Amino acid sequence: MTQFSPNALCFGEEFPASGAPCVVQIERHGLTITFESGSGDRAQEMVPFAVFAVTAGGLDHDHLVLKWGEAQRARTLYLKNPDLIRAFREAAPDHLSQPFEQAAERVRQVRHRHRVMWGAVGGSIVAVALGLWFGSDLLVEMAVSRIPVEWEQKLGEAAYRDFLSHQEVMKEGPAVNAVEEMTQRLADQIPNSPYKFQVTVVKSDVVNAFALPGGYVVVFTGLMKKADSGEEVAGVLGHELNHVLQRHGLERIVKSMGVMAVVAIIVGDQQGLIGLMRQVGVELLTLKFDRAQETEADLTGLQLVYRAKIDPSGMITFFQKLSEKDEGRLEWLSTHPVSSARAERLKAELAALPKHSSEPFTFEWKTVQDALGVQPVAAP
Amino acid sequence: MRSEILYPGAFPMVRVELASGEHIKAESGAMVGSSPTVDVESKMEGGFLGALSRKLLTGEKFFFQTLRASRGDGEVLLAPTVPGEIVILELDGVNEYMVQKDGFLAGADSIVIESKMQSLSRGLLGGEGFFILKIGGKGTLVLNSFGAIHKIELKPDQEYIVDNSHLVAWSATTSYNIEKAASGWVASFTSGEGLVCRFRGPGVVYIQSRNPGSFGAWIRQFIPVSE
């Protein structure tokens, strides 16, 4: 007697739930199914092709399922062996090949769906990773737009007070009046601004000006001495005010705090965020804007100056002047990398705007400079 | 090879008698004791990559251990880590079982174990993870569970619903879908059942009477939090 090596499972009323192992042989007119009882006796059953119903089944739809009989005599046969399935397909008469192909098609569909699903998951993971990599600016903008202006003001004010406490502040005089007038003219052109701009003149030979989040602007007397006209200083102010308006400082802070902060803001975890902001608040003064932010502030600054009917060419000449080699301490340059390309871009932008007449300031720039103690340069 | 379950109940142990030269594979760390004739070998089932993928993907131990009666007849005692019942199945070469990753305790050397990726929805929601063990071949298979083990027998097209984290093993002839326990999503989760698996026969489903995840959550509240 040969060894009994089953190749299929048969299910039915009298068989165990896990199925009865059996040997299936494909014959010309049907299947021969051999069972072995516990005592080793074998029983054979011949089932003609005519009675079968064909489907696919099993956990992964990789079994060929043959059903026949009714009620108590109902039988279900599960075939898994690929060779056996192939042999069945070849031997099966025409009326079975259609359901067989349908079952095969269904298996292919299920497998295809699994591949598509896994592909979609893999694809979306890659997309999210790429999105985070390239779209971080967008996320940062989303996060920044959710920070209330009051927070921004508190943050800026703290840094502002801290900075001014170490500086000699110019309280009054023609320079202060001039800067206030410029700021007023610019701010008038920003309708519905949530910020109340506060500009302070600091006595220092440093050629610099900066803006803190919340509308706190600092202009150094060094910059005012360097400028040849009020319009030049106004150009710098227009640029700085736009850093505030576009919330560039917050964007930098949020970026330096990282993705966790962005997530905290978007989901509204304000407690965690305040803690994070305290940590970086100190670093506000050393904040550098990136190239895209500078360009944005340049262009919007130019438009603001233009709307305020301040001669925009002042802004351009000042940028050009700064890009020339100079012996002075041009700190504005270190935070605002000036290239001649920048002035060129502004020129091009200005050319696109319709010409209109500028209104001069009420102050004499010479008076301002005299008050600052600028020695008139002797004409060569 | 002959195996019997000692102390059936919550804290059982399996005694496997090995004839000289016979060997079995067992979950690494499962051996409790053995005759001096039995040698323990560590073996990476399916080669290094197979073992690595099993470790990374199913979280199953990297090595199975092989227990070989190399110097004459002997016996081995095996026990699982968690309290719970043990069941011994005789695989006939045709029946294959899907086993969730903690369910395998030991098996004859002739059984075949592979890691298998589930479909996305089953992997994500089924509670067994994306990878499960597919065990086939011919010989003895020893499974363990958390809590008591219960066998559900399904006739062709008969259906049964099982909470997703109570699964231990199921035959490859069954199929299942993940669905919500109640008709609405909110009701599903507030009922504490969440997602369930709807099994369809024919075949056998082994389930465990305790949910390891819930037990972990329950016991966590008694663990002092270190400052």
Side-chain angles (χ1 to χ4, degrees):
Chain A
M1 204 176 200
T2 53
Q3 168 117 36
F4 185 74
S5 45
N7 57 7
L9 285 171
C10 191
F11 296 86
E13 275 299 314
E14 69 270 42
F15 298 126
S18 57
C22 55
V23 178
V24 170
Q25 280 167 304
I26 315 277
E27 313 278 355
R28 215 147 62 86
H29 301 292
L31 305 184
T32 312
I33 306 168
T34 313
F35 296 95
E36 195 179 57
S37 70
S39 54
D41 298 332
R42 290 185 186 177
Q44 244 182 18
E45 199 176 326
M46 168 71 196
V47 187
F49 282 122
V51 299
F52 288 129
V54 179
T55 49
L59 195 64
D60 293 315
H61 301 277
D62 54 356
H63 290 73
L64 176 67
V65 182
L66 304 174
K67 290 188 182 188
W68 71 97
E70 278 180 14
Q72 295 299 307
R73 296 288 300 157
R75 290 276 192 278
T76 309
L77 193 66
Y78 272 69
L79 305 180
K80 172 119 195 259
N81 187 322
D83 294 331
L84 196 61
I85 295 176
R86 209 168 299 124
F88 180 89
R89 182 183 191 173
E90 280 161 16
D94 290 345
H95 81 275
L96 280 186
S97 44
Q98 199 194 347
F100 187 95
E101 291 309 325
Q102 277 170 355
E105 181 55 32
R106 198 171 129 63
V107 173
R108 275 193 290 274
Q109 276 173 2
V110 168
R111 290 196 179 149
H112 179 70
R113 203 163 59 221
H114 284 187
R115 274 198 296 272
V116 168
M117 286 277 267
W118 278 106
V121 169
S124 14
I125 290 172
V126 170
V128 167
L130 285 179
L132 281 177
W133 186 255
F134 293 108
S136 57
D137 286 355
L138 194 73
L139 273 183
V140 167
E141 270 174 41
M142 260 173 75
V144 164
S145 67
R146 298 192 56 141
I147 298 179
V149 172
E150 297 83 68
W151 291 20
E152 202 181 346
Q153 279 167 342
K154 278 198 188 109
L155 193 70
E157 194 185 347
Y160 183 63
R161 299 244 171 280
D162 185 52
F163 175 75
L164 292 184
S165 63
H166 314 299
Q167 301 292 334
E168 199 183 336
V169 175
M170 195 175 265
K171 293 250 165 49
E172 52 193 7
V176 175
N177 294 340
V179 168
E180 275 170 2
E181 184 183 332
M182 294 172 200
T183 310
Q184 194 55 50
R185 286 231 347 226
L186 292 171
D188 285 346
Q189 299 307 314
I190 310 163
N192 309 322
S193 166
Y195 303 100
K196 194 179 169 304
F197 291 103
Q198 196 170 336
V199 181
T200 308
V201 180
V202 166
K203 273 188 201 163
S204 164
D205 284 339
V206 177
V207 181
N208 200 4
F210 63 81
L212 290 167
Y216 301 92
V217 182
V218 173
V219 182
F220 293 87
T221 49
L223 184 124
M224 298 180 74
K225 286 180 194 174
K226 182 98 189 135
D228 287 329
S229 70
E231 282 75 10
E232 292 187 353
V233 177
V236 171
L237 276 177
H239 173 99
E240 294 299 337
L241 294 194
N242 273 290
H243 275 317
V244 174
L245 289 172
Q246 322 286 342
R247 308 183 102 181
H248 287 160
L250 275 191
E251 282 177 13
R252 298 306 294 176
I253 293 171
V254 169
K255 261 188 194 164
S256 67
M257 286 193 298
V259 176
M260 283 321 293
V262 175
V263 173
I265 294 164
I266 291 174
V267 301
D269 174 15
Q270 307 199 333
Q271 287 302 321
L273 191 72
I274 290 174
L276 273 170
M277 285 175 91
R278 284 231 175 91
Q279 280 177 24
V280 295
V282 191
E283 297 161 33
L284 268 182
L285 296 170
T286 56
L287 224 53
K288 277 188 184 171
F289 299 112
D290 65 29
R291 194 174 290 242
Q293 291 178 327
E294 289 301 341
T295 308
E296 192 182 9
D298 276 357
L299 294 182
T300 50
L302 181 79
Q303 285 156 9
L304 181 63
V305 166
Y306 174 85
R307 282 205 306 276
K309 298 197 172 166
I310 300 170
D311 184 7
S313 59
M315 188 174 182
I316 295 167
T317 53
F318 195 61
F319 276 25
Q320 273 170 337
K321 195 179 296 171
L322 290 175
S323 67
E324 287 159 13
K325 198 171 156 30
D326 203 293
E327 70 282 0
R329 294 175 61 199
L330 295 178
E331 286 218 358
W332 206 70
L333 280 183
S334 67
T335 49
H336 295 73
V338 171
S339 67
S340 47
R342 224 169 128 186
E344 291 306 318
R345 194 164 43 233
L346 285 181
K347 267 188 199 163
E349 186 70 18
L350 181 58
L353 293 171
K355 290 261 180 295
H356 71 178
S357 58
S358 312
E359 290 171 13
F361 290 113
T362 56
F363 53 83
E364 281 290 328
W365 187 244
K366 192 168 176 310
T367 324
V368 173
Q369 288 213 310
D370 286 347
L372 290 171
V374 177
Q375 303 301 318
V377 183
Chain B
M1 134 174 204
R2 216 176 65 80
S3 45
E4 69 171 315
I5 298 173
L6 308 175
Y7 321 112
F11 300 99
M13 196 154 68
V14 187
R15 180 169 68 204
V16 183
E17 290 173 13
L18 297 171
S20 182
E22 263 190 338
H23 55 281
I24 56 163
K25 46 193 159 203
E27 185 190 16
S28 123
M31 195 197 77
V32 177
S34 77
S35 313
T37 50
V38 175
D39 288 335
V40 181
E41 299 161 13
S42 190
K43 189 178 162 198
M44 292 178 283
E45 183 72 21
F48 179 75
L49 285 178
L52 189 66
S53 73
R54 200 168 48 243
K55 167 69 187 162
L56 294 179
L57 304 180
T58 63
E60 180 57 77
K61 304 265 168 57
F62 188 66
F63 297 99
F64 286 131
Q65 57 181 352
T66 301
L67 300 160
R68 186 188 301 273
S70 25
R71 291 180 301 278
D73 299 354
E75 65 162 39
V76 215
L77 299 177
L78 299 168
T81 315
V82 294
E85 273 190 337
I86 289 174
V87 66
I88 297 176
L89 306 179
E90 282 299 327
L91 299 190
D92 47 28
V94 215
N95 249 313
E96 286 175 324
Y97 286 92
M98 304 297 162
V99 180
Q100 61 94 351
K101 57 185 186 290
D102 296 323
F104 174 78
L105 182 63
D109 193 58
S110 50
I111 66 165
V112 183
I113 304 173
E114 47 184 300
S115 301
K116 203 177 158 302
M117 192 160 83
Q118 300 215 76
S119 77
L120 188 67
S121 56
R122 286 176 184 161
L124 209 57
L125 310 172
E128 303 88 42
F130 286 109
F131 295 87
I132 51 173
L133 300 174
K134 180 179 182 181
I135 302 181
K138 198 167 180 172
T140 305
L141 169 65
V142 186
L143 300 177
N144 70 274
S145 68
F146 184 57
I149 205 160
H150 178 69
K151 182 181 181 182
I152 297 165
E153 301 190 334
L154 298 175
K155 297 281 176 212
D157 294 330
Q158 189 186 344
E159 288 187 336
Y160 206 84
I161 290 169
V162 181
D163 183 291
N164 54 4
S165 26
H166 284 264
L167 286 174
V168 178
W170 57 100
S171 16
T173 50
T174 61
S175 67
Y176 75 90
N177 292 318
I178 313 279
E179 48 187 61
K180 308 185 291 283
S183 56
W185 279 106
V186 175
S188 281
F189 285 93
T190 50
S191 72
E193 293 306 328
L195 298 164
V196 293
C197 306
R198 179 187 287 267
F199 273 89
R200 173 184 277 265
V204 180
V205 181
Y206 289 93
I207 60 171
Q208 52 196 5
S209 64
R210 291 292 178 276
N211 176 340
S214 308
F215 182 70
W218 177 79
I219 212 164
R220 204 170 295 132
Q221 62 187 320
F222 301 112
I223 300 175
V225 181
S226 57
E227 289 297 320

